[in-house]
Amino acid sequence: MTETTKVNLLGLTQPQLEGFFESIGEKRFRAGQVMKWIHHFGVDDFEAMSNIGKALREKLKACAEIRGPEIVSQDISSDGTRKWVVRVASGSCVETVYIPQAGRGTLCVSSQAGCSLDCSFCSTGKQGFNSDLTAAEIIGQVWIANKSFGTVPAKIDRAVTNVVMMGMGEPLLNFDNAVAAMQIMMDDLGYGISKRKVTLSTSGVAPMIDELGKVIDVSLALSLHAPNDTLRDRLVPINRKYPLAVVLDACKRYISRLGEKRVLTVEYTLLKDVNDQPEHAAQMVELLRDVPCKINLIPFNPFPFSGYERPSNNAIRRFQDLLHQAGHNVTVRTTRGEDIDAACGQLVGQVMDRTRRSERHIAVRQLGDEAAPSPSAANRT
Ligand code: SF4
């Protein structure tokens, strides 16, 4: 058997791993043992699995592997924020950002290298689509992040307590792999993260929101960015296919399935003189009138040739106040981590051409709720 035919166990869910062990003539319970070694202890060498006999270890070495994406670089900010550039099998690079805050650590995970959706304010979108990440490459980002803090037994002071699928790419367009990775995140044999603390962010792929609701109950965030179809058609082109009414209906269906007073997170990047005016706030209030939600405002983080500007602090405050006055729970994302580069909306450009970097900010929203709002930097939401 050659290297290329080995099964990468890193990206297998528990049922898939049980199926794998059955397929090689072994007991299904081996799956639990191996998952713990992989995800609880960060092991990638079968030889280290001391509760597995030598014969099985040899068998596994012959037909399987545990392989995360290749780490190209790791930066640690003076404020504790960490950023990894990792190379995936397609040869593309993606980035992962870890944001530590009091009592929690949130990891922003990428699901695709590049993105096909071309949101007009997003640098990742401007790079175009390169490849889907495999489930192993998605969960591998969590694996790498936790490993960077050393070996930690299950559920004891894990570094990553929250995950937001808000890095590069549209996770609902890489559905199966994103779902598998999130299942491993939530599995006690994986990372044991609460369903409330795993958040998938979508630009509004309405049919897949319904599909998501059939298979998983993670928290949901919608990248709204415009309060009417005319403007959203321009800023978030997928809106031409799935307009606001269709997307919000799908979000409401998803949220209502979750029950337990869970709400939609609405992401809204504020662009100076484009979507930051009082009439936009008024339209947003009307649009979200019957949507259980909280709103995260994201002041635009400029990048070269974007054509957009960040609104003034006064304009940001005015917009927030108007939403507050209408009874919405609104947070404004803050920036931090000036000593490393981690702007997700600008990630591909930075990886491809570091000389073009003009911004050195990690932007994180204020994390004041339990649904793990995005730390994803800049303008990728
Ligand atoms: S904002 Fe998200 S969906 Fe839009 S282009 Fe960027 S990565 Fe893709």
Side-chain angles (χ1 to χ4, degrees):
M1 189 171 286
T2 66
E3 281 292 316
T4 54
T5 59
K6 289 185 175 180
V7 177
N8 188 358
L9 306 188
L10 179 63
L12 299 188
T13 63
Q14 184 182 353
Q16 289 170 337
L17 200 49
E18 287 172 347
F20 164 77
F21 276 103
E22 265 190 345
S23 75
I24 62 170
E26 299 290 337
K27 301 287 188 197
R28 292 170 71 88
F29 77 87
R30 294 293 188 190
Q33 291 178 318
V34 170
M35 278 192 81
K36 284 184 180 176
W37 282 113
I38 295 173
H39 301 293
H40 292 186
F41 296 99
V43 163
D44 61 2
D45 180 358
F46 295 114
E47 275 303 312
M49 300 182 179
S50 54
N51 58 351
I52 293 184
K54 183 171 173 49
L56 179 52
R57 294 203 305 269
E58 291 301 322
K59 193 173 183 179
L60 287 171
K61 277 193 272 183
C63 69
E65 62 182 352
I66 301 160
R67 182 162 47 86
E70 173 197 354
I71 300 174
V72 176
S73 67
Q74 172 180 304
D75 295 308
I76 303 179
S77 162
S78 57
D79 65 13
T81 301
R82 298 183 179 209
K83 184 200 71 177
W84 296 265
V85 175
V86 299
R87 184 174 290 114
V88 295
S90 66
S92 300
C93 288
V94 301
E95 293 195 7
T96 310
V97 180
Y98 173 81
I99 313 286
Q101 290 195 302
R104 74 169 70 189
T106 302
L107 192 71
C108 181
V109 168
S110 295
S111 57
Q112 295 179 311
C115 185
S116 62
L117 297 186
D118 197 24
C119 299
S120 65
F121 54 87
C122 175
S123 181
T124 299
K126 296 204 180 313
Q127 308 303 321
F129 175 73
N130 293 310
S131 66
D132 283 333
L133 269 56
T134 64
E137 289 166 343
I138 298 172
I139 198 66
Q141 295 168 66
V142 184
W143 188 65
I144 285 170
N146 268 317
K147 275 159 59 93
S148 76
F149 291 90
T151 299
V152 179
K155 300 179 85 167
I156 300 175
D157 293 333
R158 277 196 181 285
V160 177
T161 62
N162 298 56
V163 175
V164 287
M165 301 286 291
M166 293 184 185
M168 291 167 58
E170 166 54 65
L172 291 184
L173 293 183
N174 186 14
F175 188 87
D176 291 344
N177 291 330
V179 166
M182 291 189 294
Q183 286 169 335
I184 298 170
M185 291 171 204
M186 295 190 294
D187 192 331
D188 281 343
L189 294 170
Y191 298 87
I193 302 173
S194 148
K195 60 190 178 185
R196 291 173 178 268
K197 295 181 177 179
V198 175
T199 301
L200 180 141
S201 177
T202 179
S203 57
V205 189
M208 301 312 291
I209 294 173
D210 285 320
E211 291 305 306
L212 188 71
K214 294 175 186 172
V215 295
I216 208 163
D217 55 358
V218 296
S219 296
L220 183 67
L222 173 66
S223 298
L224 184 67
H225 308 310
N228 63 68
D229 280 319
T230 304
L231 182 55
R232 196 164 193 267
D233 282 353
R234 183 154 61 90
L235 300 183
V236 185
I238 197 171
N239 194 71
R240 297 170 199 158
K241 191 168 184 183
Y242 306 115
L244 279 169
V246 172
V247 172
L248 286 171
D249 277 350
C251 289
K252 283 190 283 188
R253 283 193 296 274
Y254 184 91
I255 293 300
S256 68
R257 280 197 200 102
L258 298 182
E260 304 173 47
K261 297 183 180 172
R262 289 168 70 186
V263 299
L264 177 71
T265 299
V266 174
E267 313 282 348
Y268 193 95
T269 299
L270 284 166
L271 307 163
K272 182 181 178 185
D273 297 332
V274 174
N275 65 357
D276 66 340
Q277 297 301 299
E279 64 261 34
H280 298 122
Q283 291 170 14
M284 201 159 157
V285 168
E286 187 58 34
L287 185 73
L288 299 175
R289 185 168 296 283
D290 62 347
V291 181
C293 67
K294 63 190 178 199
I295 299 169
N296 287 318
L297 299 178
I298 306 154
F300 180 67
N301 197 17
F303 58 89
F305 313 113
S306 69
Y308 294 112
E309 295 176 58
R310 178 190 175 98
S312 68
N313 287 341
N314 279 345
I316 294 166
R317 204 171 303 118
R318 177 184 63 188
F319 201 90
Q320 181 182 22
D321 287 347
L322 289 168
L323 297 174
H324 259 145
Q325 287 159 16
H328 280 292
N329 175 2
V330 190
T331 56
V332 178
R333 193 168 68 185
T334 57
T335 60
R336 56 185 272 190
E338 305 224 12
D339 53 341
I340 61 172
D341 301 305
C344 295
Q346 304 162 4
L347 298 183
V348 178
Q350 291 180 347
V351 171
M352 292 174 65
D353 182 358
R354 288 174 176 262
T355 64
R356 286 169 49 200
R357 295 175 179 172
S358 65
E359 293 291 330
R360 286 178 172 268
H361 298 279
I362 290 174
V364 294
R365 78 188 76 255
Q366 293 164 333
L367 300 180
D369 52 27
E370 59 182 359
S374 170
S376 84
N379 315 306
R380 163 65 186 98
T381 57

